[in-house]
Amino acid sequence: MSYTLVVILHLFSAIIFLGFVFADVIVLPAMKKVLTDKEHQNVMTVISNRARKIFPITVLILILTGGYMFSKYINSELGIFNSSLQILLLIKLILAMIIASGIVYSLSCKFLKKTPNPIMKHFHKFVLLVGIIIIILAKVMFVV
Ligand code: HEM
């Protein structure tokens, strides 16, 4: 039962996290059509501030709940690379860690008042793409 609760928590966090990224990359740019540049900038600033509160906590929950579930499939008894499920789960973990590192980098630039590398302008698009791959891996790993 507790495992099921952890899966549900993991799934909710994934929905909130990727839902926010989806809105940012796909839905919100539509506002540009009806807002002036200044208004659009103000709206994006407010939304980014909210994102900075939501992103780290949902990713932390994803990593903690994911880590708990991970130990069911990869442990000293079952080994690490003994099945395709384990290999796909490891790829999923690496992709999630790349996203988490990007968030840590972005937050540290904000706190240290440093200008992030220009490539970070595309970070949300990258997260959306990688997030979709992670979801596919999460389901496909049980059937290959
Ligand atoms: C961006 C980060 C992540 C996203 C978007 C994500 C998303 C998902 C989704 C959608 C599922 C399917 C849940 C279901 O059964 O309906 C899932 C399952 C799973 N995730 Fe993640 N995940 C993330 C990070 C992680 C991490 C860091 C780990 C491991 C340390 C992990 C381990 C797992 C495991 C083991 C399952 C299978 C659960 C089961 O059905 O038994 N996830 N994940």
Side-chain angles (χ1 to χ4, degrees):
M1 183 60 194
S2 67
Y3 187 89
T4 308
L5 286 177
V6 173
V7 176
I8 293 171
L9 192 56
H10 193 76
L11 189 53
F12 264 124
S13 308
I15 290 169
I16 295 169
F17 176 67
L18 287 178
F20 212 97
V21 181
F22 182 83
D24 187 54
V25 175
I26 310 285
V27 182
L28 297 178
M31 287 188 311
K32 272 190 188 150
K33 289 184 187 154
V34 290
L35 299 179
T36 63
D37 280 353
K38 177 97 181 92
E39 285 168 340
H40 184 252
Q41 189 55 49
N42 285 345
V43 172
M44 292 317 283
T45 306
V46 174
I47 291 172
S48 303
N49 289 342
R50 181 61 58 89
R52 248 173 242 121
K53 289 184 190 127
I54 294 176
F55 266 33
I57 187 79
T58 50
V59 171
L60 190 64
I61 296 174
L62 279 169
I63 291 172
L64 293 177
T65 51
Y68 174 83
M69 299 187 299
F70 185 88
S71 61
K72 178 181 171 187
Y73 303 104
I74 294 183
N75 52 44
S76 52
E77 218 172 279
L78 298 173
I80 304 175
F81 301 111
N82 292 330
S83 65
S84 28
L85 187 156
Q86 290 177 325
I87 290 165
L88 293 183
L89 182 55
L90 285 169
I91 296 173
K92 181 180 186 299
L93 171 68
I94 291 167
L95 293 179
M97 287 307 146
I98 293 173
I99 293 179
S101 318
I103 293 172
V104 170
Y105 170 72
S106 168
L107 283 176
S108 56
C109 286
K110 175 87 185 155
F111 287 123
L112 300 172
K113 298 195 186 339
K114 274 171 65 179
T115 314
N117 186 303
I119 206 163
M120 290 306 279
K121 280 200 185 105
H122 304 288
F123 184 57
H124 286 187
K125 286 179 212 131
F126 172 80
V127 171
L128 183 60
L129 181 71
V130 173
I132 291 168
I133 296 171
I134 287 179
I135 291 175
I136 294 169
L137 285 175
K139 300 316 290 183
V140 166
M141 65 189 186
F142 290 108
V143 290
V144 288

